[in-house]
Amino acid sequence: MLSVLRVHLPSDIPIVGCELTPYVLLRRPDETGTTDDVPESAPLDGHFLRYKWYRIQSDRKVAVCSVHPSEQATLQCLGCVKAKIPVAKSYHCSPKCFSDAWQHHRVLHDRAASAVNENGNEEEEIFGRFNSSGSGVINASLTGSASSTSLTNGSTPLYPAAVAQRSGGETWFEVGHSKTYTPTADDIGHVLKFECVVVDAETKLPVGHPNTILTSRVIPAPSPSPRRLIPVSGADMMGHLDLDGRVSSSGTFTVLSYNILSDTYASSELYSYCPSWALSWPYRRQNLLREIVGYRADIVCLQEVQSDHFEEFFFPELDKHGYQALYKRKTNEVYSGNTHTIDGCATFFRRDRFSHVKKYEVEFNKAAQSLTEVAVQTTQKKAALNRLVKDNVALIVVLEAKFSNQGADNPGKRQLLCVANTHVNVQQELKDVKIWQVHTLLKGLEKIAASADIPMLVCGDFNSVPGSASHCLLAMGKVDPLHPDLLVDPLAILRPHSKLTHQLPLGFKRTKGTAISGKRGRALNIFQGLCLTK
């Protein structure tokens, strides 16, 4: 008979707006194990699984810290109350927490006093919707696309009238009856209970005892720190932002470049300083989408985008916001097994601002194979390939602007723009490989620029610090032959050093934590650019 062997949750702390899907291990009638669902519509040997979710509300009032949402709040900022800032943002777990957060927290006071969206609902525009529930627990809900039909949680009403159970000062509300549950604003501060039981398909009665598991208290989704726009090539002297945050001058556009950290790499071993709930993909994807959409960039270049996340999440979600998408997955020589765990580069652009003209794909592995064939001795070919083949790629897209800053002396000329998006090798001990990949990409872009007389925009995570040889090559068009990074060149692929040049007139902007940062990934750049022909 069908039976449940084990039930556990992938994340220790549930978060508002982030799906909770328990791991349920079953034993089939033939004694084999499976994690596949057995719904009522497709029973197995006359049995199926029934799921229920409960919210346990205690008579005791609970508020959570706005900075450390897994901690209970002990104090409240009266300045937030006077400024009518959403109450969830006013709570802190300790005086030290409030003191440490003050520099950022005071910005909330300033913004609350001045920011008003087109509907006059400044709180919803900046913070999302927050309010106080009747139970005294802080409520929050996702705005925009983050709030979806999944919040129906199996078609169960979000505010059920029936009390499932009351015992020992606790009230249990049934809030969902599907395997996956998405915590809502009403769940903040409360413990959730998941129940799974085998049911006879004929009698619809439970067979055996239900398997249950309790979560930690539900926390609100923390808000990311605000970012700042980086002006490029005098664009700060032209145009202005219109009411929805877009650049209104016909000749300007905005670009966002973001290493979003593939879920494959988001492990507690690599990021031990980060709580496990904040590393979970259901949590991060909603925050990423909300942040990316919020910038309303005309062009968006993302790195470390898993192919399944592109197909199932980013492509359909950004399509709703008017973006067309192109994607290049990393090659397969390094990674094996499930190809869906392989990440790549994704480039999005607004359909009302640009149209797609052409796409080029750069696979550095193929370039490495060509290089070793002609430039490496036979005895070194295997070692050379082991060093050079790192699976990195670049996606190059030629776009045509649907706007123009051309004068009357040049009417009707097509305004083309070439956008390169790449993720360069991360290993710092392979400086030669890093420089070679950057140089290979730039030489390819030179050919495109020469053939079409087209301006270039190069985005990506270059895993390089300012002053490194890769940075010098990008920003200055050459590398000093005495640069210490050039000493790491066992295959002599960077020689002669005089070849490490390019003729593209690239400007280069950076801020702490951007794509040129030495910290691996999680890099974000937001550029305001000027669309100019040569």
Side-chain angles (χ1 to χ4, degrees):
M1 188 185 76
L2 185 69
S3 60
V4 179
L5 295 178
R6 184 185 178 196
V7 177
H8 79 88
L9 291 167
S11 179
D12 53 349
I13 298 178
I15 305 143
V16 169
C18 300
E19 293 180 349
L20 280 174
T21 303
Y23 173 89
V24 180
L25 179 61
L26 305 174
R27 178 186 285 138
R28 295 191 184 98
D30 61 2
E31 299 299 314
T32 60
T34 181
T35 57
D36 294 338
D37 195 13
V38 184
E40 185 175 2
S41 58
L44 182 62
D45 195 32
H47 296 84
F48 65 91
L49 292 179
R50 177 184 293 163
Y51 307 106
K52 288 186 178 181
W53 285 90
Y54 297 95
R55 177 173 68 240
I56 304 175
Q57 292 192 188
S58 171
D59 292 341
R60 181 168 170 259
K61 313 302 182 190
V62 176
V64 295
C65 176
S66 61
V67 179
H68 307 98
S70 60
E71 302 294 329
Q72 185 173 332
T74 62
L75 59 89
Q76 183 178 26
C77 173
L78 294 180
C80 289
V81 177
K82 293 179 181 178
K84 298 183 179 179
I85 290 174
V87 67
K89 296 292 182 181
S90 67
Y91 289 109
H92 296 267
C93 57
S94 68
K96 184 178 186 302
C97 167
F98 181 62
S99 176
D100 291 345
W102 174 246
Q103 185 173 2
H104 173 64
H105 185 84
R106 66 184 299 178
V107 176
L108 303 182
H109 294 191
D110 297 337
R111 294 178 68 186
S114 60
V116 178
N117 68 4
E118 59 189 22
N119 296 319
N121 296 324
E122 65 272 16
E123 292 183 357
E124 288 192 13
E125 178 73 9
I126 301 173
F127 305 106
R129 302 183 192 95
F130 288 80
N131 54 65
S132 297
S133 70
S135 63
V137 180
I138 312 311
N139 281 351
S141 66
L142 297 174
T143 60
S145 59
S147 179
S148 64
T149 54
S150 64
L151 292 179
T152 58
N153 291 310
S155 299
T156 297
L158 293 181
Y159 304 97
V163 175
Q165 182 178 345
R166 181 170 177 81
S167 175
E170 291 182 344
T171 304
W172 291 21
F173 290 96
E174 183 179 332
V175 293
H177 58 258
S178 60
K179 185 177 182 180
T180 296
Y181 178 73
T182 304
T184 70
D186 293 299
D187 298 322
I188 296 176
H190 300 302
V191 170
L192 300 175
K193 177 182 177 181
F194 172 70
E195 179 180 283
C196 173
V197 65
V198 176
V199 177
D200 187 289
E202 183 176 348
T203 65
K204 302 297 189 293
L205 296 176
V207 178
H209 296 288
N211 291 265
T212 62
I213 189 170
L214 297 177
T215 72
S216 301
R217 292 186 185 275
V218 177
I219 66 173
S223 300
S225 300
R227 314 278 189 170
R228 68 183 183 89
L229 196 73
I230 307 170
V232 178
S233 299
D236 51 325
M237 303 299 292
M238 298 183 62
H240 61 277
L241 297 180
D242 57 23
L243 290 178
D244 69 351
R246 298 279 300 280
V247 177
S248 60
S249 172
S250 62
T252 59
F253 60 93
T254 53
V255 183
L256 182 149
S257 180
Y258 203 164
N259 182 322
I260 63 171
L261 177 59
S262 168
D263 188 45
T264 304
Y265 311 134
S267 66
S268 296
E269 289 75 19
L270 287 173
Y271 300 94
S272 57
Y273 55 85
C274 190
S276 60
W277 57 264
L279 288 173
S280 68
W281 179 243
Y283 166 72
R284 292 200 303 114
R285 71 180 180 186
Q286 296 293 358
N287 273 356
L288 286 166
L289 179 64
R290 183 162 40 199
E291 187 173 18
I292 292 168
V293 170
Y295 293 126
R296 301 178 176 91
D298 297 306
I299 300 171
V300 177
C301 294
L302 304 182
Q303 303 87 41
E304 288 199 25
V305 182
Q306 285 185 199
S307 54
D308 56 333
H309 294 168
F310 174 79
E311 294 291 344
E312 299 169 7
F313 184 70
F314 286 108
F315 176 81
E317 289 297 331
L318 288 176
D319 178 70
K320 298 175 186 177
H321 293 274
Y323 288 95
Q324 185 171 331
L326 295 164
Y327 182 72
K328 174 56 183 172
R329 186 170 64 88
K330 284 183 177 178
T331 42
N332 292 314
E333 283 81 353
V334 173
Y335 295 105
S336 59
N338 182 1
T339 57
H340 280 180
T341 62
I342 299 176
D343 64 281
C345 297
T347 299
F348 302 83
F349 58 91
R350 286 190 175 276
R351 289 187 290 265
D352 62 341
R353 299 279 282 170
F354 294 95
S355 59
H356 175 223
V357 176
K358 198 165 185 178
K359 171 185 175 182
Y360 300 90
E361 295 181 349
V362 178
E363 296 183 358
F364 293 112
N365 285 359
K366 290 184 178 179
Q369 291 166 353
S370 300
L371 176 66
T372 54
E373 286 295 323
V374 300
V376 178
Q377 297 179 5
T378 303
T379 56
Q380 290 184 301
K381 289 188 186 299
K382 184 175 180 180
L385 287 174
N386 286 337
R387 187 173 184 86
L388 293 174
V389 172
K390 299 303 176 188
D391 209 33
N392 300 93
V393 296
L395 174 62
I396 303 173
V397 179
V398 177
L399 304 175
E400 180 177 359
K402 295 182 178 180
F403 56 93
S404 176
N405 64 337
Q406 302 298 323
D409 58 335
N410 198 13
K413 183 177 180 179
R414 299 177 71 191
Q415 177 65 72
L416 299 178
L417 174 68
C418 184
V419 181
N421 181 12
T422 190
H423 186 189
V424 171
N425 178 56
V426 64
Q427 294 168 278
Q428 295 305 313
E429 65 273 17
L430 301 180
K431 292 182 173 63
D432 54 325
V433 179
K434 200 185 305 288
I435 300 167
W436 171 77
Q437 288 182 349
V438 172
H439 184 250
T440 300
L441 173 61
L442 291 172
K443 285 302 174 182
L445 291 175
E446 273 190 328
K447 293 179 181 179
I448 298 174
S451 64
D453 189 30
I454 182 173
M456 295 286 167
L457 180 65
V458 184
C459 299
D461 183 349
F462 297 97
N463 280 301
S464 303
V465 297
S468 65
S470 297
H471 169 259
C472 292
L473 182 57
L474 280 162
M476 295 183 287
K478 62 182 180 179
V479 182
D480 188 324
L482 299 179
H483 197 291
D485 285 359
L486 300 182
L487 296 176
V488 181
D489 189 15
L491 302 174
I493 59 175
L494 305 180
R495 300 171 191 166
H497 297 156
S498 59
K499 75 177 183 180
L500 298 177
T501 62
H502 70 85
Q503 300 301 315
L504 298 172
L506 296 179
F508 199 85
K509 294 286 182 177
R510 69 176 184 86
T511 59
K512 182 179 180 182
T514 62
I516 201 65
S517 167
K519 292 187 177 180
R520 181 184 170 279
R522 318 318 70 79
L524 181 144
N525 273 330
I526 313 163
F527 300 99
Q528 178 181 348
L530 201 56
C531 189
L532 298 172
T533 55
K534 294 181 180 177

